DNA sequence: GTTTATGCAAACAATTTGCAGAAGA
DNA sequence: TCTTCTGCAAATTGTTTGCATAAAC
């Protein structure tokens, strides 16, 4: 592990999330590397949806410490560890968000500016059960995306790629 | 238009859908070509979800009359014409289904075999309105996908690509 | 030491596109 | 004719992978 990595984060929430990640790595006989720590810390400090590319951008000062391939590899580990959820919002790249400490929610997406807003509708869980039962499925989960326009709220710009 | 194209379909539903498509083409100053007619007829006779590749497979006897590039181009016209809906079911290719005469519905997808089952839950529309209002969005629509397992119903096989 | 990770560049796969010749209006 | 289409092959784009080297344990 190189020296940059000991810039450890003292935010208690992030510390806790890092511990969970480390547990997972150990359990799976995966190694605790400086890249994994750096990416995980960065991700845990983001409180919005992000993409592989926007993560890369956040890490641009560490360009010499981590490659794009490694970022993709770490993202897939974190999804497997259920620390991250992967989303498709109708673009041709994936969005991620970290899960821990976030109540289950769905998303409403502005097709003008790409803004993503979370919402919680408790009755969806019950509806999901009902549909699954009726169709004879066991349930893993659901994704509900509502598409619309946020109507030029401040910050609403044309939806650029990989934002 | 080559001679193969005058193998016209007499199913009244398909005839009606073809007319709508032709209207759209005229309105947009697009030409009525044998490829467009062939693809549209084929699509209108499918009553399941399909992909660009499965469509190509259905058209394999016409391989010399139509290319993959043209199929993609026609799919995008038909989506624009709102004759087709495009879906993302968590794979890295798109699914399509034809819309006309199909009540609005959502999907439950088997993550073991890829089976896609439609369901209708009227209260979603109302919930959608409520969320949009609360968040200050105008609505275009929604996509609700439930993921689970159909529990080895007859025909449930491992989910192959592009099925 | 042995195993697992990383970086790089090449590979992938679905989809898109430029272009020259073909077909529709 | 004049315009739009098509087929082809090449380009694109997000993501994945093989492999030699490097780091973790």
């Amino acid at each position: 592990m190189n020296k940059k990595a000991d810039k450890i984060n003292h935010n208690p929430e992030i510390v806790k999330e890092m511990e969970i990640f480390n547990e997972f790595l150990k359990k799976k006989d995966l190694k605790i590397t400086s890249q994994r720590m750096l990416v995980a810390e960065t991700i845990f400090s983001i409180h919005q949806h992000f993409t592989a590319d926007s993560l890369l951008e956040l890490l641009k000062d560490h360009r010499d410490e981590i490659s794009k391939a490694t970022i993709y590899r770490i993202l897939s580990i974190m999804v497997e560890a259920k620390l991250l959820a992967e989303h498709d919002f109708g673009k041709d790249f994936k969005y991620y968000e970290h899960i821990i400490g976030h109540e289950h929610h769905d998303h409403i997406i502005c097709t003008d500016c790409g803004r993503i807003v979370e919402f919680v509708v408790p009755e969806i869980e019950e509806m999901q059960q009902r549909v699954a039962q009726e169709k004879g499925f066991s349930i893993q989960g659901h994704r509900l995306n509502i598409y619309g326009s946020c109507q030029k709220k401040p910050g609403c710009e044309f939806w650029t790629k990989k934002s």
Side-chain angles (χ1 to χ4, degrees), chain A:
Chain A
M1 203 185 294
N2 78 30
K3 51 220 138 123
K4 293 267 181 76
D6 50 35
K7 176 208 59 142
I8 44 169
N9 196 305
H10 294 297
N11 174 322
E13 185 147 337
I14 294 183
V15 169
K16 195 182 79 194
E17 294 175 318
M18 291 299 287
E19 274 165 18
I20 295 172
F21 186 40
N22 286 355
E23 278 312 304
F24 180 86
L25 292 174
K26 278 186 208 146
K27 196 173 57 195
K28 293 274 183 175
D29 279 317
L30 298 173
K31 294 178 173 168
I32 291 174
T33 64
S34 65
Q35 288 85 344
R36 285 172 181 167
M37 295 304 102
L38 175 60
V39 170
E41 263 189 40
T42 306
I43 285 177
F44 290 140
S45 65
I46 301 174
H47 294 285
Q48 309 128 37
H49 301 79
F50 61 93
T51 65
D53 244 69
S54 67
L55 183 55
L56 201 57
E57 175 63 22
L58 278 177
L59 288 167
K60 67 166 178 290
D61 293 341
H62 302 267
R63 209 178 280 139
D64 50 329
E65 297 161 54
I66 187 144
S67 72
K68 187 178 271 209
T70 296
I71 287 186
Y72 278 107
R73 284 187 274 235
I74 297 175
L75 285 172
S76 95
I77 293 173
M78 295 181 76
V79 168
E80 200 197 327
K82 298 200 196 303
L83 290 161
L84 287 185
E86 206 175 79
H87 288 283
D88 183 290
F89 292 140
K91 295 254 134 193
D92 55 3
F93 42 85
K94 293 170 185 156
Y95 281 81
Y96 297 88
E97 67 180 333
H98 76 277
I99 290 178
I100 298 206
H102 291 229
E103 183 181 18
H104 173 75
H105 57 260
D106 290 289
H107 300 92
I108 180 164
I109 299 114
C110 175
T111 52
D112 289 330
C113 75
R115 186 194 305 268
I116 298 162
V117 177
E118 305 177 356
F119 65 86
V120 175
V121 192
E123 62 260 44
I124 287 185
E125 315 300 329
E126 176 271 317
M127 169 199 303
Q128 174 182 259
Q129 292 300 336
R130 182 157 37 93
V131 170
Q133 180 132 43
E134 185 181 308
K135 301 297 183 189
F137 276 60
S138 69
I139 282 191
Q140 273 151 36
H142 72 266
R143 289 284 148 91
L144 170 59
N145 297 336
I146 298 180
Y147 296 93
S149 167
C150 74
Q151 322 245 38
K152 312 279 182 299
K153 283 203 192 53
C156 179
E157 290 148 28
F158 188 73
W159 190 348
T160 50
K161 293 181 54 191
K162 303 184 189 175
S163 57

